[in-house]
Amino acid sequence: MRRALTRKGEATRARIVAGAAAEIRERGVDETRLEDVMARTGTSKGQLFHYFPDGKDELLLAVAQHEADQVLIDQEPMLSNLTSWPAWLAWRNRLIERYLAQGVQCPLNGLLGQVGRRGPGAQAVVTGLMRRWQEAIVEGIRHMQSTGDIAPEVDADRAAAALLAGIQGGVLLLLATGKIDHLEATLDVTIDSLRVGARTA
């Protein structure tokens, strides 16, 4: 468990993490050294190890959490506002734009590979990201059910899980092929399926 920090300490730690994230995006995780992070953030070795006593592995895990948070931030405000079909389309388009801009370079994927995907820290990052993402989709589905735009018999949790699984599959295929087609298809087909049986005006 991370020890409590003062407000100034939290700000310094966040600055180190953001600087490390920027270095990794530019250089790649394998080429980023602690010296690069210290130079970019204006911190000493003593400061860096004060906030990350276990060194680079602990810092990389913190950057992985930062990148996981960014996945959701990049979808806002659309992800938190899935209250109409135009809003769902806007979220769909934002997601496509995000992954087109990212292309085949995924900072989070590289970081998790470096720290070990099966380690408890990496699993906690991924589990937390998927839980928050799925909860936001579930909330959107339930809102649409309350307005009659999605059929009440749709299992919101399972539908959100299926949509999220499809997104992850589309992203993996994008990383492997450089093509966005699969992500577009899974979003379009799954969102269209949610309309089936809905109340018609």
Side-chain angles (χ1 to χ4, degrees), residues 124-170:
V125 169
V126 175
T127 300
L129 169 60
M130 295 303 147
R131 175 183 53 77
R132 290 182 290 154
W133 201 344
Q134 184 169 329
E135 285 173 353
I137 298 171
V138 167
E139 185 175 342
I141 292 172
R142 287 179 176 159
H143 177 89
M144 297 290 279
Q145 287 177 316
S146 74
T147 59
D149 291 297
I150 292 178
E153 61 267 22
V154 170
D155 186 320
D157 292 296
R158 285 178 61 82
L163 178 51
L164 185 54
I167 291 169
Q168 294 309 301

Side-chain angles (χ1 to χ4, degrees), residues 33-80:
R33 304 171 304 159
L34 292 180
E35 290 80 5
D36 300 321
V37 176
M38 288 186 283
R40 187 175 195 122
T41 59
T43 53
S44 66
K45 187 174 183 179
Q47 279 181 303
L48 192 146
F49 277 90
H50 171 73
Y51 294 105
F52 303 98
D54 292 333
K56 188 174 182 179
D57 285 348
E58 185 177 358
L59 176 58
L60 290 180
L61 194 58
V63 176
Q65 183 62 64
H66 171 86
E67 292 291 355
D69 293 341
Q70 196 63 46
V71 170
L72 299 181
I73 291 169
D74 288 348
Q75 298 176 56
E76 295 297 352
M78 288 74 174
L79 181 59
S80 296

